Amino acid sequence: MTQHSLFFKKTMLLVMGVSLCIGLSAQVPGPQKKNNFWLDMNAGIGAVTCYDNGTIPFAYEGMATAFGAGFTDEWKRCHISFDAQRYKSILSKPDGTIFGFDGRLEFLYSCLKSSESRWHFWSGATLEAYGELKSIPDLQNASASISIFSHLGVTEMISCDFGYNKERTHRWMTAFFKLYLPIASHVSRPDFMYVHDALGNSGIANLLASNEKFFKFFPGATTDFGLTLNLRNGNRITLSYLWYYLTTGKKGAYRFDNAYHLVNLTFMFKL
């Protein structure tokens, strides 16, 4: 066998090996991660109850509205969502306004489900930040204040699917109950040494500069329960009741309690 023929055979074997690898890699791939993605929009209306002892020694209430947007992504047994909310509350006695802003990133994992796959138990973690600006002109030099809560917590949810079609290939309704418990929070609250009667060009910066900061464990709770209509095209419509409570757990001037009671309507548009 000549060197040329030996080289030719080795070259052909190499080409055949490379072709075989390419052919194997070009086969139909295995199952890919199947995920469902929605864009979310929601609106709510209800009431807010406040107790801010640094400015007013009694509780006060008002009507609250909320608007928000975000996204939801689900794959296999995982669920991740982000929601940004804007709250506006009109107070009465004393007259004033509260502007609240909330951002919440949530991850849930389906830990358990029933044999018929109707009942699901979810558990996970949530990262959240809430800030509010109070404007109450009747309080004069204490007319404006800014409070900020940022915390990490755990979320538990139980859901039940029902209203199946005859072929049991589609469930029309899902009932759910969700509990969120913030575990540790960093709080920024006014020291109530106010020097501004209203917000000027640098009013917000000055108010934040005078805030005192501290850590608080278990600064409140959130519950959310309702019904979801699952449409054939993958879109969802949810009607729920939300109770969102934050507190510093302190007495005296640093006592802060804030509770939203909202009926929410959420639209989820599947992409």
Side-chain angles (χ1 to χ4, degrees), residues 68 94 124 157 162 181 196 225 233 236 249 268:
M157 184 175 74
F162 62 98
L181 291 175
H196 297 281
F225 64 91
N233 58 5
R236 297 176 178 177
M268 300 175 63

Side-chain angles (χ1 to χ4, degrees), residues 32-91:
Q32 301 295 311
K33 183 187 79 171
K34 181 181 179 181
N35 71 309
N36 298 306
F37 189 87
W38 292 267
L39 290 179
D40 307 337
M41 297 185 65
N42 59 78
I45 187 170
V48 62
T49 302
C50 307
Y51 200 119
D52 195 345
N53 203 29
T55 55
I56 304 174
F58 53 85
Y60 49 98
E61 301 176 343
M63 187 185 75
T65 57
F67 298 94
F71 68 84
T72 300
D73 193 7
E74 292 182 351
W75 70 96
K76 294 184 178 178
R77 303 176 70 173
C78 299
H79 170 105
I80 187 171
S81 63
F82 174 77
D83 184 44
Q85 289 281 341
R86 175 261 194 186
Y87 303 94
K88 183 178 181 180
S89 305
I90 306 300
L91 304 176

Side-chain angles (χ1 to χ4, degrees), residues 27-218:
Q27 291 179 359
V28 177
Q32 301 295 311
K33 183 187 79 171
K34 181 181 179 181
N35 71 309
N36 298 306
F37 189 87
W38 292 267
L39 290 179
D40 307 337
M41 297 185 65
N42 59 78
I45 187 170
V48 62
T49 302
C50 307
Y51 200 119
D52 195 345
N53 203 29
T55 55
I56 304 174
F58 53 85
Y60 49 98
E61 301 176 343
M63 187 185 75
T65 57
F67 298 94
F71 68 84
T72 300
D73 193 7
E74 292 182 351
W75 70 96
K76 294 184 178 178
R77 303 176 70 173
C78 299
H79 170 105
I80 187 171
S81 63
F82 174 77
D83 184 44
Q85 289 281 341
R86 175 261 194 186
Y87 303 94
K88 183 178 181 180
S89 305
I90 306 300
L91 304 176
S92 57
K93 296 181 182 179
D95 295 333
T97 307
I98 300 177
F99 299 95
F101 303 91
D102 179 74
R104 183 176 298 189
L105 179 64
E106 178 181 87
F107 175 80
L108 294 175
Y109 183 78
S110 179
C111 303
L112 297 171
K113 62 180 179 180
S114 64
S115 57
E116 303 87 5
S117 297
R118 294 185 60 184
W119 290 90
H120 302 263
F121 178 76
W122 305 76
S123 182
T126 299
L127 181 65
E128 181 186 18
Y130 172 83
E132 71 168 31
L133 168 63
K134 286 181 180 174
S135 176
I136 307 176
D138 290 346
L139 300 182
Q140 298 180 8
N141 66 317
S143 62
S145 64
I146 297 177
S147 301
I148 300 174
F149 290 74
S150 54
H151 35 249
L152 176 65
V154 296
T155 300
E156 310 294 331
M157 184 175 74
I158 185 170
S159 62
C160 177
D161 298 325
F162 62 98
Y164 284 85
N165 59 357
K166 293 182 179 180
E167 297 79 14
R168 295 190 64 81
T169 56
H170 179 78
R171 78 277 193 266
W172 284 100
M173 301 295 296
T174 300
F176 67 91
F177 174 80
K178 183 186 294 185
L179 171 65
Y180 167 55
L181 291 175
I183 296 176
S185 178
H186 181 264
V187 184
S188 175
R189 288 281 291 136
D191 60 3
F192 304 108
M193 298 295 291
Y194 294 113
V195 294
H196 297 281
D197 292 335
L199 293 176
N201 294 331
S202 60
I204 292 180
N206 289 336
L207 287 174
L208 287 174
S210 66
N211 274 17
E212 292 196 4
K213 303 172 180 62
F214 53 89
F215 285 95
K216 165 65 180 168
F217 293 99
F218 300 103

